[in-house]
Coordinates of all heavy atoms in Angstrom, one line a residue:
M217 N 53.2 52.6 108.4 CA 54.5 52.5 108.8 C 55.4 53.4 108.1 O 56.4 53.9 108.5 CB 55.0 51.0 108.7 CG 56.3 50.6 109.3 SD 56.3 50.8 111.0 CE 56.2 49.4 111.9
H218 N 55.1 53.7 106.8 CA 55.9 54.6 106.0 C 55.9 56.0 106.5 O 57.0 56.6 106.5 CB 55.2 54.6 104.6 CG 56.0 55.4 103.6 ND1 57.3 55.1 103.2 CD2 55.7 56.5 102.8 CE1 57.7 55.9 102.3 NE2 56.8 56.8 102.1
T219 N 54.9 56.5 107.1 CA 54.8 57.9 107.7 C 55.8 57.9 108.9 O 56.4 58.9 109.2 CB 53.4 58.3 108.0 OG1 52.9 57.4 108.9 CG2 52.6 58.5 106.8
D220 N 55.8 56.8 109.7 CA 56.7 56.8 110.8 C 58.2 56.8 110.4 O 59.0 57.5 111.0 CB 56.5 55.5 111.6 CG 55.1 55.5 112.3 OD1 54.6 56.5 112.5 OD2 54.7 54.4 112.7
D221 N 58.5 56.1 109.3 CA 59.9 56.2 108.8 C 60.2 57.6 108.3 O 61.4 58.1 108.6 CB 60.0 55.2 107.7 CG 60.0 53.8 108.1 OD1 60.2 53.5 109.3 OD2 59.8 52.9 107.2
L222 N 59.3 58.3 107.7 CA 59.6 59.6 107.2 C 59.7 60.6 108.4 O 60.6 61.4 108.4 CB 58.4 60.1 106.3 CG 58.4 59.5 104.9 CD1 57.2 60.0 104.1 CD2 59.7 59.8 104.2
A223 N 58.9 60.4 109.4 CA 59.0 61.3 110.6 C 60.3 61.1 111.3 O 61.0 62.0 111.8 CB 57.8 61.0 111.5
E224 N 60.7 59.8 111.4 CA 62.0 59.5 112.1 C 63.2 60.0 111.2 O 64.1 60.6 111.8 CB 62.2 58.0 112.2 CG 63.4 57.6 113.0 CD 63.5 56.1 113.2 OE1 62.5 55.5 113.3 OE2 64.6 55.6 113.2
R225 N 63.1 59.9 110.0 CA 64.2 60.5 109.1 C 64.2 62.0 109.2 O 65.3 62.6 109.3 CB 63.9 60.0 107.7 CG 65.0 60.5 106.7 CD 64.9 59.9 105.4 NE 66.0 60.4 104.6 CZ 66.0 60.5 103.3 NH1 65.0 60.0 102.6 NH2 67.0 60.9 102.6
K226 N 63.1 62.6 109.2 CA 63.0 64.1 109.3 C 63.6 64.5 110.6 O 64.4 65.5 110.7 CB 61.6 64.5 109.2 CG 61.5 66.0 109.2 CD 60.0 66.5 109.1 CE 59.9 68.0 109.2 NZ 58.5 68.4 109.1
A227 N 63.3 63.8 111.7 CA 63.9 64.2 113.0 C 65.4 64.0 113.1 O 66.1 64.8 113.6 CB 63.2 63.3 114.1
R228 N 65.9 62.9 112.4 CA 67.3 62.7 112.3 C 68.0 63.8 111.6 O 69.1 64.3 111.9 CB 67.7 61.4 111.7 CG 67.8 60.3 112.8 CD 68.3 59.0 112.3 NE 67.2 58.2 111.7 CZ 67.1 57.6 110.6 NH1 68.2 57.6 109.8 NH2 66.0 57.0 110.2
L229 N 67.4 64.2 110.4 CA 68.0 65.3 109.6 C 68.0 66.6 110.3 O 69.0 67.4 110.2 CB 67.2 65.4 108.3 CG 67.4 64.2 107.3 CD1 66.5 64.4 106.1 CD2 68.9 64.3 106.8
I230 N 67.0 66.9 111.1 CA 66.9 68.2 111.9 C 68.0 68.1 112.9 O 68.7 69.1 113.1 CB 65.5 68.3 112.5 CG1 64.5 68.7 111.4 CG2 65.6 69.4 113.5 CD1 63.1 68.7 111.8
A231 N 68.1 67.0 113.6 CA 69.2 66.9 114.6 C 70.6 67.0 114.0 O 71.5 67.6 114.6 CB 69.0 65.6 115.4
Q232 N 70.8 66.4 112.9 CA 72.1 66.4 112.2 C 72.4 67.8 111.8 O 73.5 68.3 111.9 CB 72.0 65.5 111.0 CG 73.4 65.2 110.4 CD 73.3 64.2 109.3 OE1 72.3 64.0 108.7 NE2 74.4 63.5 109.0
S233 N 71.4 68.6 111.2 CA 71.7 69.9 110.8 C 72.0 70.8 112.0 O 72.8 71.7 111.9 CB 70.5 70.5 110.0 OG 69.4 70.9 110.8
D234 N 71.3 70.6 113.2 CA 71.6 71.4 114.3 C 73.0 71.1 114.8 O 73.7 72.1 115.2 CB 70.6 71.0 115.4 CG 69.2 71.6 115.2 OD1 69.0 72.5 114.4 OD2 68.2 71.1 115.9
L235 N 73.4 69.9 114.8 CA 74.8 69.5 115.2 C 75.8 70.2 114.2 O 76.8 70.8 114.7 CB 75.0 68.0 115.2 CG 76.4 67.5 115.5 CD1 76.8 67.9 116.9 CD2 76.4 66.0 115.3
Q236 N 75.6 70.1 113.0 CA 76.5 70.8 112.0 C 76.5 72.3 112.2 O 77.6 72.9 112.1 CB 76.1 70.4 110.6 CG 76.4 69.0 110.3 CD 75.9 68.6 108.9 OE1 75.2 69.3 108.2 NE2 76.4 67.4 108.5
R237 N 75.4 72.9 112.5 CA 75.3 74.3 112.8 C 76.2 74.7 114.0 O 76.9 75.7 114.0 CB 73.9 74.8 113.0 CG 73.7 76.2 112.9 CD 72.2 76.7 113.0 NE 71.5 76.1 111.9 CZ 70.5 75.3 112.0 NH1 70.1 74.8 113.2 NH2 69.8 74.9 110.9
M238 N 76.1 73.9 115.1 CA 76.8 74.1 116.3 C 78.3 73.9 116.0 O 79.2 74.7 116.5 CB 76.4 73.2 117.4 CG 75.0 73.6 118.0 SD 74.6 72.6 119.4 CE 73.8 71.2 118.7
Q239 N 78.7 72.9 115.2 CA 80.1 72.7 114.9 C 80.7 73.8 114.1 O 81.8 74.3 114.3 CB 80.3 71.4 114.1 CG 80.1 70.2 114.9 CD 80.1 68.9 114.1 OE1 79.7 68.9 112.9 NE2 80.4 67.8 114.8
A240 N 79.8 74.4 113.1 CA 80.3 75.5 112.4 C 80.5 76.8 113.3 O 81.5 77.5 113.1 CB 79.3 75.8 111.3
L241 N 79.6 76.9 114.2 CA 79.7 78.1 115.1 C 81.0 78.0 116.0 O 81.7 78.9 116.2 CB 78.5 78.2 115.9 CG 78.3 79.4 116.8 CD1 78.3 80.7 116.0 CD2 77.0 79.3 117.7
L242 N 81.2 76.7 116.5 CA 82.4 76.5 117.3 C 83.7 76.7 116.5 O 84.6 77.4 117.0 CB 82.4 75.1 117.8 CG 83.6 74.6 118.7 CD1 83.6 75.5 119.9 CD2 83.4 73.2 119.1
A243 N 83.7 76.3 115.2 CA 84.9 76.5 114.3 C 85.1 78.0 114.1 O 86.2 78.5 114.1 CB 84.7 75.8 113.0
W244 N 84.0 78.8 113.9 CA 84.0 80.2 113.7 C 84.6 80.9 114.9 O 85.5 81.7 114.8 CB 82.6 80.8 113.4 CG 82.6 82.2 113.4 CD1 82.1 83.1 114.4 CD2 83.2 83.1 112.4 NE1 82.2 84.4 114.0 CE2 82.9 84.4 112.8 CE3 83.8 82.9 111.2 CZ2 83.3 85.5 112.1 CZ3 84.2 84.0 110.5 CH2 83.9 85.3 110.9
H245 N 84.2 80.5 116.1 CA 84.7 81.1 117.3 C 86.2 80.8 117.5 O 87.0 81.6 117.9 CB 83.9 80.7 118.6 CG 82.6 81.4 118.7 ND1 82.4 82.7 118.8 CD2 81.4 80.9 118.6 CE1 81.2 83.0 118.9 NE2 80.5 81.9 118.7
T246 N 86.6 79.6 117.2 CA 88.0 79.1 117.3 C 88.8 79.9 116.4 O 89.9 80.4 116.7 CB 88.1 77.7 117.0 OG1 87.3 76.9 118.0 CG2 89.6 77.2 117.2
A247 N 88.4 80.1 115.1 CA 89.1 80.9 114.1 C 89.3 82.3 114.6 O 90.3 83.0 114.4 CB 88.4 80.8 112.8
R248 N 88.1 82.9 115.1 CA 88.3 84.3 115.6 C 89.3 84.5 116.7 O 90.0 85.5 116.8 CB 86.9 84.8 116.0 CG 86.0 85.2 114.9 CD 84.7 85.8 115.4 NE 85.0 87.1 116.1 CZ 84.1 87.7 116.8 NH1 82.9 87.3 116.9 NH2 84.4 88.9 117.3
R249 N 89.3 83.5 117.6 CA 90.2 83.6 118.7 C 91.7 83.5 118.2 O 92.6 84.1 118.8 CB 89.9 82.4 119.7 CG 90.6 82.6 121.0 CD 90.2 81.5 122.0 NE 90.0 80.3 121.5 CZ 88.8 79.6 121.6 NH1 87.9 80.1 122.2 NH2 88.7 78.4 121.1
I250 N 91.9 82.7 117.2 CA 93.3 82.6 116.6 C 93.7 83.8 115.9 O 94.8 84.3 116.1 CB 93.3 81.3 115.7 CG1 93.2 80.0 116.5 CG2 94.6 81.3 114.9 CD1 93.1 78.8 115.6
V251 N 92.8 84.4 115.2 CA 93.1 85.5 114.3 C 93.1 86.9 115.1 O 93.8 87.8 114.8 CB 92.2 85.6 113.1 CG1 92.4 86.9 112.3 CG2 92.4 84.4 112.2
A252 N 92.3 87.0 116.1 CA 92.1 88.2 116.8 C 93.5 88.7 117.5 O 94.2 87.8 118.0 CB 91.1 88.1 117.9
P253 N 93.7 90.0 117.5 CA 94.9 90.4 118.1 C 94.8 90.2 119.6 O 93.8 90.0 120.2 CB 95.0 91.9 117.8 CG 93.6 92.3 117.4 CD 93.0 91.0 116.9
P254 N 95.9 90.1 120.3 CA 95.9 89.9 121.8 C 95.2 91.0 122.5 O 95.2 92.1 122.1 CB 97.4 89.8 122.2 CG 98.1 90.4 121.1 CD 97.3 90.3 119.8
G255 N 94.5 90.6 123.6 CA 93.7 91.6 124.4 C 94.7 92.5 125.1 O 95.9 92.4 125.1
A256 N 94.1 93.6 125.7 CA 94.9 94.6 126.4 C 95.6 94.0 127.5 O 96.8 94.5 127.8 CB 93.9 95.7 126.8
G257 N 95.1 93.0 128.2 CA 95.8 92.4 129.3 C 97.0 91.6 128.9 O 97.9 91.4 129.7
E258 N 97.0 91.1 127.6 CA 98.1 90.2 127.2 C 99.3 91.1 126.6 O 100.3 90.5 126.3 CB 97.5 89.3 126.1 CG 96.5 88.3 126.7 CD 95.9 87.5 125.6 OE1 96.4 87.5 124.4 OE2 94.8 86.9 125.8
R259 N 99.0 92.3 126.2 CA 100.1 93.1 125.6 C 100.9 93.8 126.7 O 100.4 94.0 127.9 CB 99.5 94.2 124.8 CG 98.9 93.7 123.5 CD 98.3 94.8 122.7 NE 96.9 94.8 123.0 CZ 96.0 95.7 122.5 NH1 96.4 96.7 121.8 NH2 94.8 95.6 122.8
S260 N 102.1 94.2 126.4 CA 102.9 94.9 127.4 C 102.4 96.3 127.5 O 101.8 96.8 126.6 CB 104.4 94.9 126.9 OG 104.5 95.6 125.8
S261 N 102.6 96.9 128.6 CA 102.1 98.3 128.9 C 102.8 99.3 127.9 O 102.2 100.4 127.8 CB 102.3 98.7 130.4 OG 103.7 98.6 130.6
T262 N 103.9 99.0 127.5 CA 104.6 100.0 126.6 C 104.3 99.8 125.2 O 104.7 100.7 124.4 CB 106.1 100.0 126.9 OG1 106.6 98.7 126.6 CG2 106.5 100.3 128.3
S263 N 103.6 98.8 124.8 CA 103.4 98.6 123.3 C 102.7 99.7 122.7 O 103.0 100.0 121.5 CB 102.8 97.2 123.1 OG 101.5 97.2 123.6
R264 N 101.7 100.2 123.3 CA 100.9 101.3 122.7 C 101.7 102.5 122.6 O 101.6 103.2 121.6 CB 99.6 101.6 123.6 CG 98.7 102.6 123.0 CD 97.5 102.7 123.8 NE 96.5 101.6 123.7 CZ 95.6 101.5 122.8 NH1 95.4 102.5 122.0 NH2 94.8 100.5 122.7
S265 N 102.5 102.9 123.6 CA 103.3 104.1 123.4 C 104.4 104.0 122.4 O 104.7 104.9 121.7 CB 103.8 104.5 124.8 OG 104.8 103.5 125.3
I266 N 104.9 102.8 122.3 CA 105.9 102.6 121.3 C 105.3 102.7 119.9 O 105.9 103.3 119.0 CB 106.6 101.2 121.4 CG1 107.5 101.2 122.7 CG2 107.5 100.8 120.2 CD1 108.0 99.8 123.1
A267 N 104.1 102.1 119.7 CA 103.5 102.1 118.4 C 103.1 103.6 118.0 O 103.3 104.1 116.9 CB 102.3 101.3 118.4
A268 N 102.6 104.3 119.0 CA 102.2 105.8 118.8 C 103.4 106.6 118.4 O 103.4 107.5 117.6 CB 101.5 106.3 120.0
T269 N 104.6 106.3 119.1 CA 105.8 107.1 118.8 C 106.3 106.8 117.4 O 106.6 107.7 116.6 CB 106.9 106.7 119.8 OG1 106.4 107.0 121.1 CG2 108.1 107.5 119.6
L270 N 106.3 105.5 117.0 CA 106.7 105.1 115.7 C 105.8 105.7 114.6 O 106.4 106.2 113.6 CB 106.8 103.6 115.5 CG 107.9 102.9 116.3 CD1 107.7 101.4 116.2 CD2 109.2 103.3 115.9
I271 N 104.6 105.7 114.8 CA 103.6 106.3 113.8 C 103.8 107.8 113.8 O 103.8 108.4 112.7 CB 102.2 105.9 114.2 CG1 101.9 104.4 113.9 CG2 101.2 106.8 113.3 CD1 100.6 103.9 114.3
G272 N 104.0 108.4 114.9 CA 104.3 109.9 115.0 C 105.5 110.3 114.2 O 105.6 111.4 113.7
I273 N 106.5 109.4 114.3 CA 107.8 109.7 113.5 C 107.6 109.4 112.1 O 108.1 110.2 111.2 CB 108.9 108.9 114.1 CG1 109.3 109.4 115.5 CG2 110.2 109.0 113.2 CD1 110.2 108.5 116.3
A274 N 106.9 108.3 111.7 CA 106.9 107.9 110.3 C 105.9 108.7 109.5 O 106.1 108.9 108.3 CB 106.4 106.4 110.3
L275 N 104.8 109.3 110.1 CA 103.8 110.0 109.4 C 104.4 111.2 108.7 O 104.2 111.4 107.5 CB 102.7 110.4 110.3 CG 101.5 111.0 109.7 CD1 100.8 110.1 108.7 CD2 100.5 111.5 110.7
P276 N 105.1 112.1 109.3 CA 105.7 113.2 108.6 C 106.8 112.8 107.5 O 106.9 113.4 106.5 CB 106.3 114.1 109.6 CG 105.9 113.6 110.9 CD 105.4 112.2 110.7
L277 N 107.5 111.7 107.8 CA 108.5 111.3 106.9 C 108.0 110.6 105.7 O 108.5 110.9 104.5 CB 109.5 110.3 107.6 CG 110.3 111.0 108.7 CD1 111.1 109.9 109.5 CD2 111.2 112.0 108.2
A278 N 107.0 109.7 105.8 CA 106.6 108.9 104.7 C 105.3 109.5 104.1 O 105.0 109.2 102.9 CB 106.3 107.5 105.2
G279 N 104.5 110.2 104.8 CA 103.2 110.7 104.3 C 102.1 109.7 104.7 O 102.3 108.5 104.9
A280 N 100.9 110.2 104.7 CA 99.7 109.4 105.1 C 99.4 108.3 104.2 O 99.1 107.2 104.6 CB 98.5 110.3 105.3
G281 N 99.5 108.5 102.9 CA 99.1 107.4 101.9 C 100.1 106.3 102.0 O 99.6 105.1 102.0
R282 N 101.4 106.5 102.0 CA 102.4 105.5 102.1 C 102.3 104.8 103.4 O 102.4 103.5 103.5 CB 103.7 106.0 101.8 CG 104.8 104.9 101.7 CD 106.2 105.5 101.3 NE 106.1 106.0 100.0 CZ 106.9 107.0 99.5 NH1 107.8 107.4 100.3 NH2 106.8 107.4 98.3
L283 N 102.1 105.5 104.5 CA 102.1 104.9 105.8 C 100.9 104.0 106.0 O 100.9 103.0 106.6 CB 102.1 106.0 106.9 CG 102.2 105.5 108.3 CD1 103.5 104.7 108.6 CD2 102.1 106.7 109.3
R284 N 99.7 104.4 105.3 CA 98.5 103.6 105.3 C 98.8 102.2 104.7 O 98.4 101.2 105.2 CB 97.4 104.3 104.6 CG 96.0 103.6 104.7 CD 94.9 104.3 104.0 NE 94.9 105.8 104.3 CZ 95.0 106.7 103.5 NH1 95.2 106.4 102.2 NH2 95.0 108.0 103.8
G285 N 99.5 102.2 103.6 CA 99.8 101.0 102.9 C 100.8 100.1 103.7 O 100.6 98.9 103.8
V286 N 101.7 100.7 104.4 CA 102.7 100.0 105.2 C 102.0 99.4 106.4 O 102.2 98.2 106.7 CB 103.9 100.9 105.6 CG1 104.7 100.3 106.7 CG2 104.7 101.3 104.5
L287 N 101.1 100.2 107.0 CA 100.4 99.6 108.2 C 99.4 98.5 107.8 O 99.3 97.5 108.6 CB 99.6 100.8 108.9 CG 100.5 101.8 109.7 CD1 99.6 102.9 110.2 CD2 101.3 101.1 110.8
R288 N 98.8 98.6 106.7 CA 97.9 97.5 106.2 C 98.8 96.3 105.9 O 98.3 95.2 106.4 CB 97.2 98.0 104.9 CG 96.2 97.0 104.4 CD 95.5 97.4 103.2 NE 94.9 98.7 103.3 CZ 95.2 99.7 102.4 NH1 96.0 99.5 101.4 NH2 94.6 100.9 102.6
T289 N 99.9 96.4 105.3 CA 100.8 95.3 105.1 C 101.2 94.7 106.4 O 101.3 93.4 106.6 CB 102.0 95.7 104.2 OG1 101.5 96.2 103.0 CG2 102.9 94.5 103.9
L290 N 101.7 95.5 107.3 CA 102.1 95.0 108.6 C 101.0 94.3 109.4 O 101.2 93.3 110.1 CB 102.7 96.1 109.5 CG 104.0 96.7 109.0 CD1 104.4 97.9 109.9 CD2 105.1 95.6 109.1
S291 N 99.8 94.8 109.3 CA 98.6 94.2 110.0 C 98.3 92.8 109.4 O 98.1 91.9 110.1 CB 97.4 95.1 109.8 OG 96.2 94.5 110.3
V292 N 98.4 92.7 108.1 CA 98.2 91.4 107.4 C 99.3 90.4 107.8 O 99.1 89.3 108.2 CB 98.1 91.5 105.9 CG1 98.2 90.2 105.2 CG2 96.9 92.3 105.5
A293 N 100.5 90.9 107.9 CA 101.7 90.1 108.3 C 101.5 89.6 109.7 O 101.8 88.5 110.0 CB 103.0 90.8 108.1
A294 N 101.1 90.5 110.6 CA 100.8 90.1 112.0 C 99.7 89.1 112.1 O 99.9 88.1 112.9 CB 100.5 91.4 112.9
T295 N 98.7 89.2 111.3 CA 97.6 88.2 111.4 C 98.1 86.9 110.9 O 97.8 85.8 111.5 CB 96.4 88.7 110.5 OG1 96.0 90.0 111.0 CG2 95.3 87.7 110.5
V296 N 98.9 86.9 109.8 CA 99.4 85.6 109.3 C 100.3 85.0 110.3 O 100.3 83.8 110.5 CB 100.1 85.9 107.9 CG1 100.9 84.6 107.6 CG2 99.1 86.2 106.9
L297 N 101.1 85.8 111.0 CA 102.0 85.3 112.0 C 101.2 84.6 113.2 O 101.6 83.6 113.7 CB 102.9 86.4 112.6 CG 103.9 86.0 113.6 CD1 105.0 85.0 113.0 CD2 104.7 87.2 114.2
R298 N 100.2 85.3 113.6 CA 99.3 84.8 114.7 C 98.7 83.4 114.3 O 98.6 82.5 115.0 CB 98.2 85.7 115.1 CG 98.7 86.8 116.0 CD 97.5 87.6 116.6 NE 96.7 88.2 115.6 CZ 96.8 89.4 115.1 NH1 97.8 90.2 115.4 NH2 96.0 89.9 114.2
I299 N 98.2 83.4 113.0 CA 97.7 82.1 112.5 C 98.7 81.0 112.5 O 98.4 79.9 112.9 CB 97.0 82.3 111.1 CG1 95.8 83.2 111.3 CG2 96.6 81.0 110.5 CD1 95.2 83.7 109.9
W300 N 99.9 81.3 112.0 CA 101.0 80.3 111.9 C 101.4 79.8 113.2 O 101.5 78.6 113.4 CB 102.2 81.0 111.2 CG 103.3 80.0 111.0 CD1 103.4 78.9 110.2 CD2 104.5 80.0 111.7 NE1 104.6 78.3 110.3 CE2 105.3 79.0 111.3 CE3 105.0 80.9 112.7 CZ2 106.5 78.7 111.8 CZ3 106.3 80.6 113.2 CH2 107.0 79.5 112.7
R301 N 101.5 80.8 114.2 CA 101.8 80.4 115.6 C 100.8 79.4 116.2 O 101.1 78.4 116.8 CB 102.1 81.6 116.5 CG 103.4 82.2 116.2 CD 103.5 83.4 117.2 NE 104.8 84.1 117.0 CZ 105.1 85.2 117.6 NH1 104.2 85.8 118.4 NH2 106.3 85.7 117.4
A302 N 99.5 79.8 116.0 CA 98.4 79.0 116.6 C 98.4 77.6 115.9 O 98.2 76.6 116.6 CB 97.1 79.7 116.4
W303 N 98.6 77.6 114.6 CA 98.6 76.3 113.9 C 99.8 75.4 114.3 O 99.7 74.2 114.5 CB 98.7 76.6 112.4 CG 98.8 75.3 111.6 CD1 97.8 74.5 111.3 CD2 99.9 74.8 110.9 NE1 98.2 73.5 110.5 CE2 99.5 73.6 110.3 CE3 101.2 75.3 110.8 CZ2 100.4 72.9 109.5 CZ3 102.1 74.5 110.1 CH2 101.7 73.3 109.4
R304 N 101.0 76.0 114.6 CA 102.2 75.3 115.0 C 102.0 74.7 116.4 O 102.5 73.6 116.6 CB 103.3 76.3 115.0 CG 104.7 75.6 115.0 CD 105.8 76.5 114.9 NE 105.8 77.4 116.1 CZ 106.7 78.2 116.4 NH1 107.8 78.3 115.7 NH2 106.6 78.9 117.5
V305 N 101.3 75.4 117.2 CA 101.1 74.9 118.6 C 100.2 73.7 118.6 O 100.4 72.8 119.4 CB 100.4 76.0 119.5 CG1 99.9 75.4 120.8 CG2 101.4 77.1 119.7
R306 N 99.3 73.6 117.7 CA 98.4 72.4 117.6 C 99.2 71.3 117.2 O 99.2 70.2 117.4 CB 97.2 72.7 116.6 CG 96.3 73.7 117.2 CD 95.2 73.9 116.2 NE 94.1 74.6 117.0 CZ 92.9 74.4 116.7 NH1 92.4 73.6 115.8 NH2 92.0 75.0 117.4

């Protein structure tokens, strides 16, 4: 009877670990969906041209190094804003 108990416990642990693995994968996909920038269909058609124009103007004025830092900061700020908005909706 002892071996039956061990086999049953092993089966439960395997099932539990599979469930936890699936929950972690689901949480990962949910987090990626929240943090990912909007798809091309969700953006306005002029957003790309506006961004290209602003970068084209700022690059000669600020220089590549400074502009890289500014764009990195803006990217992090946009990600934090998307996370905050998604959290607020829940």
Side-chain angles (χ1 to χ4, degrees):
M217 194 60 103
H218 183 61
T219 57
D220 291 339
D221 291 341
L222 287 177
E224 185 179 326
R225 183 173 179 203
K226 182 178 178 182
R228 268 189 274 135
L229 287 173
I230 290 171
Q232 191 176 24
S233 78
D234 287 342
L235 177 63
Q236 289 175 349
R237 193 175 299 115
M238 286 188 273
Q239 288 173 335
L241 187 61
L242 180 61
W244 171 253
H245 285 296
T246 302
R248 279 187 66 192
R249 191 175 38 239
I250 289 171
V251 174
E258 298 173 13
R259 285 180 265 177
S260 67
S261 60
T262 58
S263 64
R264 182 175 290 267
S265 64
I266 291 171
T269 302
L270 290 174
I271 291 173
I273 292 170
L275 186 60
L277 294 174
R282 186 174 294 155
L283 187 59
R284 187 179 313 119
V286 169
L287 288 177
R288 186 179 307 126
T289 303
L290 289 175
S291 175
V292 169
T295 301
V296 168
L297 181 64
R298 281 192 300 272
I299 292 170
W300 180 73
R301 283 181 178 170
W303 177 74
R304 194 177 64 169
V305 167
R306 289 181 165 212

